Amino acid sequence: MYNDTICALATANGMGALGIIRLSGDDAVGIVNKVFEGKNLEKAKSHTVHYGFIKDSDETVDEVMVSVFLAPKTFTTENSVEISFHGSPYIGKKILEVLLKNGARMAKAGEFTMRAFMNGRIDLSQAESIADLIASENEASRKVALNQLKGGITNEISVLRTDLLNFVSLIELELDFAEEDVEFADRTALTQLLHKIEDKLNALIESFQYGNAVKNGVAVAILGKPNAGKSTLLNALLKEERAIVSDIAGTTRDTIEEVIHIKGNSFRLIDTAGLRETTDEIEKIGVVKAKEKSDKADVLIYLIDVASQDISEDVAMLKELLREDLETIICFTKIDEHLVTKHSLFEDIKRLTGNENLKTLTVSAKKNLNLDELKNLLTHFVDNLKTDENVVITNQRHYEALQKSLNAVKAVEEAVNAKITTELLAYELRNALEYLGEISGEFTNDEVLGNIFSKFCIGK
Ligand code: GDP
């Protein structure tokens, strides 16, 4: 099969010490050789680097280093070349123009990775983890993506899938001997295997909560009565832990949120625009608005001025906001001004809201007191989401495929229990196999592929 040669800028589009242009395809070396002055690259061995110049007819465009990688031991399994040039976007553009003139074409978004997948070098979940790795904004998401790139989820699932495949063969054999009423596939062993698969799928599905927190950050809402100290706390947290929010394609979010990183995890402080403006006129934030905000949150930090004589309004508000899956931290603030002597405040708030699970602490945002404790509570929240699984699901598509697989496996189990016809059982089994295969891309369609790879940047 002939693969046309694609090229693209592989480094970020901006000024840098160096930039890299990458080519992949049958003629990758030939095309670069036409515009390279230095040596004959067609004679170069694989995985070698060469010094020379890129020429546009008689004109020298730049002094470069060219790396030659010959098929099949390359990322795409095709002939590949990387040109390192002096990192000016203008030079990069000029070199790309020269390559296009000489027979290469611009790569589409994700096309290098798509070729790696199409040529069997990586499976689909690995391709997706490359996109995740490129987009990783914190330590935890980097680790999880890297683990998946090593084939984490696919390995776990392919073992189970192979076991199931054995049963499918046996069941299909039974179909061949339908007249004779024989059972080659031990139904008890099949049920045991189905249970094992269900357990694994459930565990992987469960890991998504942590995976999602790692990949997208934990959504945190800061609420409390006017003047409780919300914006002061926000600013104190931002001052210490504010993240550099990058603007990578595919990671743009619906709303602008402040992001802080604590111990390798990201926390998104949601809907903080109002908090950051200092207005003289203090608008009382209504229950509806507060609820809207806390509904979007995984964690609620609720502030109460420690000097408050009457906390009935806070209690009423909290009763509206509390949910089972909302981690709630009550911060009694301004302890620099009012030394707290009675810890009965903690007991009061738990008793009055009828919620023993509230986390409570005292802080001063102004004097930076106990903010580390608050950060520890946030970190613990993420740590508690961790499951025993080595592999963590971070990808919505995988999550959905796992759920579909689980339903399909349950359907097989029901079919076995109902002693349904062998034909139908075989059908359900094939169905389950197909869903399990969706994750690694063994079963997939062009639409799904197009959707996945279009989210990549050009050059990836
Ligand atoms: P918000 O309306 O909840 O956002 O409250 P602000 O953050 O604007 O704070 C209201 C007032 O309380 C301001 O005058 C702050 O300086 C003050 N304040 C906030 N946090 C603290 C604190 O920890 N200690 C002290 N002493 N004052 C604070």
Side-chain angles (χ1 to χ4, degrees), residues 223-244:
L223 289 170
K225 290 206 299 194
N227 271 330
K230 297 180 292 296
S231 45
T232 310
L233 178 70
L234 173 72
N235 288 327
L237 289 173
L238 288 178
K239 203 163 132 205
E240 288 192 8
E241 313 285 355
R242 180 182 227 137
I244 306 153

Side-chain angles (χ1 to χ4, degrees), residues 137-141 143 210 213-214 217-220 222 233-234 236-244 258-269 299 301 329 370-383 386:
E137 288 180 3
N138 62 41
E139 183 58 16
S141 62
K143 277 190 186 153
Y210 173 66
V214 159
V218 176
V220 180
I222 302 179
L233 178 70
L234 173 72
L237 289 173
L238 288 178
K239 203 163 132 205
E240 288 192 8
E241 313 285 355
R242 180 182 227 137
I244 306 153
E258 298 285 2
V259 178
I260 56 172
H261 287 174
I262 302 170
K263 298 209 176 116
N265 293 305
S266 303
F267 295 86
R268 293 183 284 119
L269 303 167
V299 178
I301 299 177
I329 303 170
N370 270 359
L371 290 188
D372 280 341
E373 207 175 310
L374 176 61
K375 287 182 216 161
N376 284 341
L377 285 177
L378 291 172
T379 308
H380 282 158
F381 170 76
V382 183
D383 287 345
K386 273 188 200 161

Side-chain angles (χ1 to χ4, degrees), residues 166-205:
N166 290 337
F167 273 100
V168 177
S169 320
L170 290 174
I171 298 270
E172 297 202 329
L173 202 58
E174 284 179 19
L175 285 178
D176 293 342
F177 289 84
E179 311 282 287
E180 297 170 35
D181 194 24
V182 284
E183 263 191 22
F184 293 113
D186 179 347
R187 301 304 196 256
T188 317
L190 175 57
T191 308
Q192 278 169 355
L193 175 64
L194 292 173
H195 283 165
K196 210 168 116 187
I197 298 179
E198 278 174 34
D199 286 349
K200 188 80 218 172
L201 292 176
N202 272 322
L204 287 170
I205 287 169

Side-chain angles (χ1 to χ4, degrees), residues 254-407:
D254 301 347
T255 49
I256 306 279
E257 293 163 337
E258 298 285 2
V259 178
I260 56 172
H261 287 174
I262 302 170
K263 298 209 176 116
N265 293 305
S266 303
F267 295 86
R268 293 183 284 119
L269 303 167
I270 55 174
D271 196 15
T272 45
L275 284 185
R276 306 210 63 222
E277 295 158 8
T278 45
T279 42
D280 289 337
E281 193 188 324
I282 299 158
E283 209 187 309
K284 222 176 170 182
I285 135 159
V287 177
V288 178
K289 216 164 162 221
K291 195 149 170 45
E292 240 170 51
K293 207 165 148 178
S294 68
D295 278 349
K296 285 189 254 168
D298 305 307
V299 178
L300 165 65
I301 299 177
Y302 191 91
L303 296 188
I304 301 176
D305 187 332
V306 77
S308 305
Q309 298 298 326
D310 177 10
I311 58 167
S312 56
E313 273 183 46
D314 297 298
V315 169
M317 176 72 97
L318 279 166
K319 278 186 173 167
E320 292 290 330
L321 304 183
L322 296 178
R323 322 186 294 265
E324 207 168 295
D325 62 341
L326 178 69
E327 172 88 347
T328 306
I329 303 170
I330 309 287
C331 275
F332 290 96
T333 64
K334 313 193 187 179
I335 52 164
D336 56 302
E337 265 181 3
H338 302 272
L339 225 72
V340 215
T341 45
K342 49 172 193 158
H343 268 269
S344 61
L345 272 176
F346 291 179
E347 300 311 317
D348 288 349
I349 197 84
K350 287 182 188 172
R351 184 172 44 78
L352 293 170
T353 56
N355 191 323
E356 287 299 316
N357 297 326
L358 295 181
K359 305 270 182 323
T360 44
L361 81 163
T362 53
V363 298
S364 161
K366 207 169 188 174
K367 295 280 155 66
N368 239 336
L369 299 174
N370 270 359
L371 290 188
D372 280 341
E373 207 175 310
L374 176 61
K375 287 182 216 161
N376 284 341
L377 285 177
L378 291 172
T379 308
H380 282 158
F381 170 76
V382 183
D383 287 345
N384 283 337
L385 296 178
K386 273 188 200 161
T387 61
D388 294 337
E389 281 302 300
N390 283 330
V391 176
V392 176
I393 303 299
T394 55
N395 186 296
Q396 187 72 29
R397 189 187 72 82
H398 297 169
Y399 178 67
E400 282 164 19
L402 286 167
Q403 271 181 328
K404 283 192 241 160
S405 305
L406 183 63
N407 291 338

Side-chain angles (χ1 to χ4, degrees), residues 10-25:
T11 40
N13 193 7
M15 199 95 76
L18 294 173
I20 295 174
I21 285 172
R22 182 191 215 196
L23 296 94
S24 177

